[in-house]
Coordinates of all heavy atoms in Angstrom, one line a residue:
P544 N 31.3 -32.8 -28.8 CA 31.0 -31.4 -29.0 C 30.0 -30.8 -28.0 O 28.9 -31.4 -27.9 CB 30.5 -31.4 -30.5 CG 30.0 -32.7 -30.7 CD 30.8 -33.7 -29.9
T545 N 30.4 -29.8 -27.3 CA 29.6 -29.3 -26.2 C 29.4 -27.8 -26.2 O 30.1 -27.0 -25.5 CB 30.3 -29.7 -24.9 OG1 30.6 -31.1 -24.9 CG2 29.3 -29.5 -23.7
P546 N 28.5 -27.3 -27.1 CA 28.2 -25.9 -27.1 C 27.2 -25.5 -26.0 O 26.0 -25.5 -26.2 CB 27.5 -25.7 -28.5 CG 26.9 -27.0 -28.8 CD 27.7 -28.1 -28.1
A547 N 27.7 -25.3 -24.8 CA 26.9 -25.0 -23.7 C 26.2 -23.6 -23.8 O 26.9 -22.6 -24.3 CB 27.7 -25.0 -22.4
I548 N 24.9 -23.5 -23.5 CA 24.2 -22.3 -23.6 C 23.7 -21.8 -22.2 O 23.2 -22.6 -21.5 CB 22.9 -22.5 -24.5 CG1 23.3 -23.1 -25.9 CG2 22.1 -21.2 -24.6 CD1 24.1 -22.1 -26.7
G549 N 23.9 -20.6 -21.9 CA 23.4 -20.0 -20.7 C 22.3 -19.0 -21.1 O 22.6 -18.0 -21.8
G550 N 21.1 -19.2 -20.6 CA 20.0 -18.3 -20.9 C 19.6 -17.5 -19.8 O 19.7 -17.9 -18.6
V551 N 19.1 -16.3 -20.0 CA 18.6 -15.4 -19.0 C 17.2 -14.9 -19.4 O 17.0 -14.5 -20.6 CB 19.5 -14.2 -18.8 CG1 18.9 -13.2 -17.8 CG2 20.9 -14.7 -18.2
G552 N 16.3 -15.0 -18.5 CA 14.9 -14.5 -18.8 C 14.4 -13.6 -17.6 O 15.0 -13.6 -16.5
L553 N 13.3 -12.9 -17.9 CA 12.7 -12.0 -16.9 C 11.4 -12.5 -16.4 O 10.6 -13.0 -17.2 CB 12.6 -10.6 -17.6 CG 12.0 -9.5 -16.7 CD1 13.0 -9.1 -15.6 CD2 11.7 -8.3 -17.6
I554 N 11.2 -12.4 -15.1 CA 9.9 -12.7 -14.5 C 9.4 -11.3 -13.9 O 10.0 -10.8 -13.0 CB 10.1 -13.7 -13.3 CG1 10.6 -15.0 -13.9 CG2 8.7 -13.9 -12.6 CD1 11.0 -16.0 -12.8
D555 N 8.3 -10.8 -14.5 CA 7.8 -9.5 -14.1 C 7.2 -9.5 -12.6 O 7.2 -8.5 -12.0 CB 6.8 -9.0 -15.1 CG 7.4 -8.6 -16.4 OD1 8.5 -8.0 -16.4 OD2 6.8 -8.9 -17.4
D556 N 6.7 -10.7 -12.2 CA 6.0 -10.7 -10.9 C 6.4 -12.1 -10.3 O 6.0 -13.1 -10.7 CB 4.5 -10.6 -11.1 CG 3.7 -10.7 -9.8 OD1 4.4 -10.9 -8.8 OD2 2.5 -10.6 -9.9
L557 N 7.2 -12.0 -9.2 CA 7.7 -13.2 -8.6 C 6.6 -14.0 -7.9 O 6.8 -15.2 -7.6 CB 8.8 -12.9 -7.6 CG 10.2 -12.5 -8.2 CD1 11.1 -12.0 -7.1 CD2 10.8 -13.7 -8.9
S558 N 5.5 -13.4 -7.7 CA 4.4 -14.2 -7.2 C 3.8 -15.2 -8.2 O 3.1 -16.1 -7.9 CB 3.2 -13.3 -6.7 OG 2.6 -12.7 -7.8
K559 N 4.2 -15.0 -9.5 CA 3.8 -15.9 -10.6 C 4.8 -16.9 -11.0 O 4.7 -17.4 -12.1 CB 3.3 -15.0 -11.8 CG 2.2 -14.1 -11.5 CD 0.9 -14.8 -11.2 CE -0.3 -13.9 -10.9 NZ -0.7 -13.1 -12.1
T560 N 5.8 -17.1 -10.2 CA 6.8 -18.1 -10.6 C 6.3 -19.5 -10.4 O 5.3 -19.7 -9.6 CB 8.1 -18.0 -9.7 OG1 7.8 -18.1 -8.4 CG2 8.8 -16.7 -10.0
M561 N 6.9 -20.5 -11.0 CA 6.4 -21.9 -10.9 C 7.6 -22.8 -10.6 O 8.7 -22.5 -10.9 CB 5.8 -22.3 -12.3 CG 5.1 -23.6 -12.3 SD 3.8 -23.7 -11.1 CE 2.8 -22.2 -11.5
T562 N 7.3 -23.9 -9.9 CA 8.2 -24.9 -9.6 C 7.8 -26.3 -10.2 O 6.6 -26.4 -10.6 CB 8.5 -25.1 -8.1 OG1 7.2 -25.6 -7.5 CG2 8.9 -23.8 -7.4
L563 N 8.7 -27.3 -10.2 CA 8.3 -28.5 -10.8 C 7.6 -29.5 -9.8 O 7.1 -30.5 -10.2 CB 9.6 -29.2 -11.4 CG 10.8 -29.5 -10.5 CD1 10.6 -30.8 -9.7 CD2 12.0 -29.6 -11.3
A564 N 7.7 -29.2 -8.5 CA 7.1 -30.2 -7.5 C 5.6 -30.2 -7.6 O 4.9 -29.2 -7.7 CB 7.5 -29.8 -6.1
F565 N 5.0 -31.5 -7.6 CA 3.6 -31.6 -7.4 C 3.2 -30.9 -6.1 O 3.9 -30.9 -5.1 CB 3.2 -33.1 -7.3 CG 3.4 -33.9 -8.5 CD1 3.7 -35.2 -8.4 CD2 3.2 -33.4 -9.8 CE1 3.9 -36.0 -9.6 CE2 3.4 -34.1 -10.9 CZ 3.7 -35.5 -10.8
K566 N 2.0 -30.2 -6.1 CA 1.6 -29.5 -5.0 C 0.6 -30.2 -4.1 O 0.6 -30.0 -2.9 CB 1.0 -28.1 -5.5 CG 1.9 -27.3 -6.3 CD 3.2 -26.9 -5.6 CE 4.1 -26.0 -6.3 NZ 4.7 -26.6 -7.6
R567 N -0.2 -31.0 -4.6 CA -1.2 -31.8 -3.8 C -1.7 -33.0 -4.6 O -1.5 -33.1 -5.8 CB -2.3 -30.8 -3.3 CG -3.1 -30.2 -4.5 CD -4.2 -29.3 -4.0 NE -3.7 -28.1 -3.4 CZ -3.2 -27.0 -4.1 NH1 -3.2 -27.0 -5.4 NH2 -2.8 -26.0 -3.5
S568 N -2.4 -33.8 -3.9 CA -3.0 -35.0 -4.5 C -4.3 -34.6 -5.2 O -4.8 -33.5 -5.0 CB -3.3 -36.1 -3.4 OG -2.2 -36.5 -2.8
D569 N -4.7 -35.5 -6.1 CA -5.9 -35.3 -6.9 C -5.9 -34.2 -7.9 O -6.9 -33.6 -8.2 CB -7.1 -35.2 -5.9 CG -7.3 -36.5 -5.1 OD1 -7.1 -37.6 -5.6 OD2 -7.6 -36.3 -3.9
E570 N -4.7 -33.8 -8.3 CA -4.6 -32.8 -9.4 C -4.5 -33.5 -10.7 O -4.0 -34.7 -10.8 CB -3.5 -31.8 -9.1 CG -3.8 -30.9 -8.0 CD -3.0 -29.6 -7.9 OE1 -1.8 -29.6 -8.5 OE2 -3.5 -28.6 -7.4
V571 N -4.8 -32.9 -11.8 CA -4.8 -33.4 -13.1 C -3.4 -33.2 -13.7 O -2.9 -32.1 -13.6 CB -5.9 -32.9 -14.0 CG1 -5.8 -33.4 -15.4 CG2 -7.2 -33.1 -13.4
I572 N -2.8 -34.2 -14.4 CA -1.5 -34.1 -15.0 C -1.8 -34.0 -16.5 O -2.5 -34.8 -17.1 CB -0.7 -35.3 -14.8 CG1 -0.4 -35.5 -13.3 CG2 0.7 -35.2 -15.5 CD1 0.3 -36.8 -12.9
I573 N -1.2 -32.9 -17.1 CA -1.4 -32.6 -18.5 C -0.1 -32.6 -19.3 O 0.9 -31.9 -18.8 CB -2.2 -31.3 -18.7 CG1 -3.5 -31.3 -17.9 CG2 -2.4 -30.9 -20.2 CD1 -4.2 -30.0 -17.8
L574 N 0.0 -33.2 -20.4 CA 1.2 -33.2 -21.3 C 0.9 -32.2 -22.4 O -0.1 -32.2 -23.1 CB 1.4 -34.6 -21.9 CG 2.6 -34.7 -22.9 CD1 3.9 -34.3 -22.2 CD2 2.6 -36.1 -23.5
I575 N 1.8 -31.2 -22.5 CA 1.7 -30.2 -23.5 C 2.9 -30.3 -24.5 O 4.0 -30.4 -24.1 CB 1.7 -28.8 -22.9 CG1 0.4 -28.6 -22.0 CG2 1.7 -27.7 -23.9 CD1 0.4 -27.3 -21.2
G576 N 2.6 -30.2 -25.8 CA 3.7 -30.1 -26.8 C 3.5 -31.1 -27.9 O 3.2 -32.3 -27.6

Side-chain angles (χ1 to χ4, degrees):
T545 311
I548 303 296
V551 174
L553 181 65
I554 300 172
D555 287 320
D556 181 355
L557 284 172
S558 70
K559 298 293 180 68
T560 55
M561 191 54 54
T562 65
L563 59 82
F565 292 149
K566 301 304 183 294
R567 58 183 68 82
S568 297
D569 299 319
E570 292 199 331
V571 179
I572 302 172
I573 302 170
L574 176 62
I575 296 173

